[in-house]
């Protein structure tokens, strides 16, 4: 929850529970980037680009994913793309992926 509370923007997928989204401050922008049954709000390349753009525009991006992001959610691809821009990535297991721009890196424990 610390990472969610520190978010400047949240990008979330179709498997994220609505109750969890309700825990995010109302003033924090939330962008749905989910894919369901062949209907994609964004394709994967556009999601990757959006994560990087929002990191540079807003600062602390939280990429909120439901299910297993490494088996079904293409987390490896997102991480590799984001890191290619010099943006460090922190993975919070079993909850969500946290992306922090290099100038805002903090350790959350």
């Amino acid at each position: 929850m610390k990472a969610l509370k520190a978010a400047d923007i949240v990008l979330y997928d179709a498997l994220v529970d609505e109750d969890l989204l309700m825990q995010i401050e109302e003033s924090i922008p939330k962008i749905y980037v989910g894919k369901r049954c062949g209907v994609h709000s964004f394709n994967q390349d556009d999601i990757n680009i959006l994560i990087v753009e929002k990191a540079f525009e807003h600062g602390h991006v939280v990429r909120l994913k439901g299910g297993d992001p490494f088996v079904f959610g293409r987390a490896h691809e997102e991480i590799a793309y984001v890191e290619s821009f010099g943006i460090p990535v922190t993975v919070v297991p079993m909850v969500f992926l946290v992306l922090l721009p290099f100038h805002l890196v903090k350790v959350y424990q």
Side-chain angles (χ1 to χ4, degrees), residues 11-16 31-51 63-67 69 71-78:
L11 282 64
Y12 67 97
D13 75 10
L15 298 177
V16 172
I31 301 174
Y32 175 74
V33 294
K35 303 172 189 170
R36 294 297 275 190
C37 302
V39 178
H40 299 165
S41 57
F42 291 87
N43 67 41
Q44 189 60 50
D45 288 339
D46 290 338
I47 292 170
N48 295 344
I49 291 167
L50 189 63
I51 293 168
R63 174 65 168 103
L64 192 56
K65 298 172 79 75
V71 174
F72 304 109
R74 300 179 78 172
H76 291 293
E77 183 179 335
E78 292 177 5

Side-chain angles (χ1 to χ4, degrees), residues 3-4 20 32 43-44 47 53 61-62 68 86 94 105 109:
L4 268 182
L20 185 56
Y32 175 74
N43 67 41
Q44 189 60 50
I47 292 170
E53 286 177 349
V61 175
V62 171
D68 187 331
M94 306 301 283
V105 174
Q109 299 203 16

Side-chain angles (χ1 to χ4, degrees), residues 4-105:
L4 268 182
K5 291 189 183 304
D8 294 317
I9 186 167
V10 175
L11 282 64
Y12 67 97
D13 75 10
L15 298 177
V16 172
D17 187 275
E18 195 68 33
D19 290 336
L20 185 56
L21 292 174
M22 299 296 282
Q23 301 299 314
I24 302 167
E25 184 69 39
E26 253 185 70
S27 62
I28 303 300
K30 296 164 215 51
I31 301 174
Y32 175 74
V33 294
K35 303 172 189 170
R36 294 297 275 190
C37 302
V39 178
H40 299 165
S41 57
F42 291 87
N43 67 41
Q44 189 60 50
D45 288 339
D46 290 338
I47 292 170
N48 295 344
I49 291 167
L50 189 63
I51 293 168
V52 170
E53 286 177 349
K54 297 306 177 186
F56 286 114
E57 286 176 24
H58 293 273
H60 184 172
V61 175
V62 171
R63 174 65 168 103
L64 192 56
K65 298 172 79 75
D68 187 331
F70 291 98
V71 174
F72 304 109
R74 300 179 78 172
H76 291 293
E77 183 179 335
E78 292 177 5
I79 291 168
Y81 186 81
V82 170
E83 288 181 334
S84 76
F85 286 85
I87 301 171
V89 174
T90 302
V91 176
V92 179
M94 306 301 283
V95 182
F96 43 79
L97 173 69
V98 180
L99 306 171
L100 301 169
F102 57 92
H103 64 283
L104 293 177
V105 174

